[in-house]
Amino acid sequence: MSSSKFFRKLRSLVFISTAATGITFGYSYYRNDENFFRTILIPSIMMLEAEQAHRLAVLICKWKLLPPVSYKDPEVLGTSICNISLKNPVGIAAGFDKNAEAIEGLSQLGFGFVEIGSVTPMPQAGNQKPRVFRLKEDEAIINRYGFNSDGHEQVWHRIQQLRASGRFEGVIGVNLGKNKTSEDPVSDYVEGLKLFSPCADYLVINVSSPNTPGLRDMQHKDTLKKLLTEVNKTKSSLETPKPIFLKLAPDLTHDELKDICKTIKRKECQVDGLIISNTTIDRSVTLRSSNSQEVGGLSGRPLKEKSTRMIEDAYKLTDGKVPIIGAGGIGSGQDAYDKILAGASAIQLYSSFVYQGPPVVTKVKKELDELLGINGYDSVAQAVGQGITKEKRSIFSYFF
Ligand SMILES: Cc1cc2nc3c(=O)[nH]c(=O)nc-3n(C[C@H](O)[C@H](O)[C@H](O)COP(=O)(O)O)c2cc1C
């Protein structure tokens, strides 16, 4: 064979195999194929530095580069929390879409609700980079973003625009934070409530991020009383009051949690629900990754048990009367189911979305549907708190 003929053949071969690979990848991407994401796309994205990868993922969702998932939520997954109807109980936790850029794209991936933020009143840059770390061996993340935020005004405009477009009817939660240099943290939350109540479905008072100095101290009963009293005063003055959730840290002791549960039972300090939990500063769990001692909040698999136990505790301390959104290390239907049995009425995930990609949403929903069925539940609501045995329930109702 002449050399020119050989090179022509080689060129066609390269062309055909490139085209075939492109078509296969395109098809797998389009179908949200779990294997493709796990073996090709996620490892490629992981080659980027963690914050760059996060930014890329937000942009992919913002520009809706992933096709909507075809999985139709079964009826059994339909539920409600604080009178907010959810087509399924799986939400994306705060911190992924901090600035409300990707709400529609995230919803198209199958999330039942999207929580944006934390958003601060004034725009702020957050902490110095690097500030996000993947703990691959532990399927965990440590972040010390420190509330990098576009600020209330810009974020409000984005949500307003989306609502006005009439394209989006899904559930949006707005997670509120405070500015690092704020001299009046209570007013940071109050201003957030006033601004976002008309366009959000629920609001979150986040006093549990570990990366803003002094923030977690606001969980202390006296400070919390003052904050929640103002929050309630503001809420009652609003034309369109929305449910308010309080997001808690998993590092609270049982007694601290008990104080909080007592506080929110007071009429002037009540909240509509709890989100349990934020990230942990605890490193006592066995972590294998070399960067596990980075400063910041740890999320993902190592947080799973700790947050589940706290949900169980809070459910008991509130006699199951305060709805809970459970978060922390959820990456499968079983994880979601465990949180529901512990007392969560809905759940959120973040870290498993980083490690498994968008297919995790459908996977969690399918597996949860199966588990509810196998265990004889006709709805998510029926299963809430059922992991707490009758024996434990009666003991607790005796004490509280
Ligand atoms: C990179 C990153 C940033 C986060 N930022 C916020 C935030 O701004 N506000 C907040 O309330 N929680 C934030 N979180 C906490 C999550 O909302 C969630 O509570 C926590 O990660 C536990 O869920 P997971 O184990 O599924 O990630 C952040 C988490 C991660 C990983």
Side-chain angles (χ1 to χ4, degrees):
M1 195 190 309
S2 72
S3 66
S4 67
K5 215 169 174 186
F6 171 77
F7 279 116
R8 259 206 319 273
K9 278 204 166 170
L10 189 66
R11 218 170 43 201
S12 334
L13 200 70
V14 170
F15 178 77
I16 290 167
S17 42
T18 310
T21 313
I23 290 168
T24 313
F25 280 11
Y27 184 65
S28 308
Y29 183 79
Y30 183 76
R31 290 204 46 222
N32 247 302
D33 182 69
E34 206 178 319
N35 267 338
F36 170 73
F37 274 87
R38 195 165 35 84
T39 55
I40 313 262
L41 204 63
I42 299 291
S44 312
I45 293 182
M46 292 265 179
M47 284 159 78
L48 293 172
E49 189 264 323
E51 184 163 348
Q52 284 172 353
H54 179 189
R55 187 66 201 141
L56 177 66
V58 172
L59 291 177
I60 288 175
C61 295
K62 176 178 175 171
W63 294 326
K64 293 184 240 163
L65 296 179
L66 286 163
V69 292
S70 53
Y71 178 75
K72 211 172 162 330
D73 291 330
E75 239 173 73
V76 69
L77 291 186
T79 193
S80 77
I81 185 161
C82 301
N83 291 325
I84 305 166
S85 297
L86 303 175
K87 57 186 195 304
N88 72 69
V90 184
I92 175 85
F96 178 79
D97 186 9
K98 284 179 181 281
N99 294 309
E101 296 173 273
I103 296 173
E104 263 188 297
L106 285 165
S107 183
Q108 286 187 1
L109 298 179
F111 285 111
F113 58 111
V114 176
E115 188 171 309
I116 64 102
S118 297
V119 52
T120 56
M122 302 304 292
Q124 65 174 31
N127 290 328
Q128 257 190 352
K129 296 178 188 176
R131 50 194 181 175
V132 200
F133 308 88
R134 297 185 200 102
L135 279 62
K136 284 190 193 157
E137 290 85 348
D138 301 296
E139 275 184 50
I141 294 171
I142 291 177
N143 93 83
R144 50 169 181 266
Y145 267 117
F147 288 165
N148 48 323
S149 172
D150 285 349
H152 280 176
E153 206 180 309
Q154 264 208 60
V155 172
W156 178 82
H157 269 294
R158 288 192 189 118
I159 302 178
Q160 242 349 71
Q161 264 178 358
L162 180 63
R163 291 291 198 206
S165 73
R167 286 194 313 264
F168 187 76
E169 287 178 353
V171 174
I172 304 174
V174 175
N175 180 309
L176 303 169
K178 74 163 196 79
N179 277 116
K180 186 176 179 182
T181 55
S182 169
E183 283 176 8
D184 186 359
V186 172
S187 102
D188 283 17
Y189 292 101
V190 164
E191 290 311 311
L193 284 185
K194 287 184 192 158
L195 183 65
F196 288 102
S197 284
C199 60
D201 293 289
Y202 70 89
L203 295 125
V204 182
I205 307 288
N206 175 17
V207 281
S208 48
S209 286
N211 306 310
T212 296
L215 188 82
R216 283 184 165 199
D217 298 342
M218 296 184 80
Q219 296 172 110
H220 187 269
K221 60 181 175 191
D222 298 327
T223 327
L224 192 65
K225 259 182 218 162
K226 277 189 204 139
L227 169 66
L228 293 181
T229 306
E230 287 309 311
V231 161
N232 273 284
K233 271 190 207 155
T234 309
K235 189 182 173 194
S236 57
S237 72
L238 295 173
E239 259 176 48
T240 50
K242 297 290 165 63
I244 295 172
F245 286 77
L246 182 68
K247 185 164 179 178
L248 299 176
D251 304 314
L252 295 165
T253 62
H254 172 76
D255 284 346
E256 286 168 333
L257 182 62
K258 201 166 146 185
D259 280 342
I260 292 174
C261 292
K262 250 191 201 162
T263 305
I264 61 170
K265 274 182 189 167
R266 297 162 72 111
K267 197 170 180 309
E268 72 277 16
C269 296
Q270 65 191 8
V271 291
D272 300 279
L274 295 171
I275 302 188
I276 300 175
S277 72
N278 213 311
T279 55
T280 179
I281 51 169
D282 183 13
R283 298 291 187 275
S284 65
V285 280
T286 335
L287 297 170
R288 290 180 298 147
S289 311
S290 57
N291 50 2
S292 64
Q293 295 311 314
E294 286 290 347
V295 171
L298 173 75
S299 58
R301 186 174 281 188
L303 175 62
K304 188 164 71 182
E305 272 311 303
K306 196 177 169 115
S307 58
T308 307
R309 295 290 76 85
M310 188 173 160
I311 291 167
E312 202 174 62
D313 216 6
Y315 186 82
K316 289 175 204 160
L317 288 168
T318 55
D319 305 319
K321 286 180 187 146
V322 179
I324 298 171
I325 298 179
I330 297 173
S332 69
Q334 183 70 54
D335 301 337
Y337 184 63
D338 290 344
K339 292 270 195 287
I340 291 168
L341 290 186
S345 298
I347 59 102
Q348 293 176 325
L349 54 85
Y350 183 162
S351 301
S352 64
F353 188 58
V354 171
Y355 284 99
Q356 300 181 44
V360 73
V361 189
T362 303
K363 186 187 93 171
V364 168
K365 291 193 295 184
K366 273 187 184 164
E367 292 174 355
L368 179 60
D369 175 27
E370 255 175 55
L371 281 164
L372 289 168
I374 292 168
N375 291 286
Y377 294 114
D378 297 329
S379 68
V380 173
Q382 265 183 12
V384 175
Q386 292 303 310
I388 296 163
T389 59
K390 281 205 181 96
E391 206 182 324
K392 279 190 200 161
R393 272 165 210 267
S394 54
I395 290 173
F396 272 91
S397 53
Y398 176 80
F399 282 115
F400 302 101

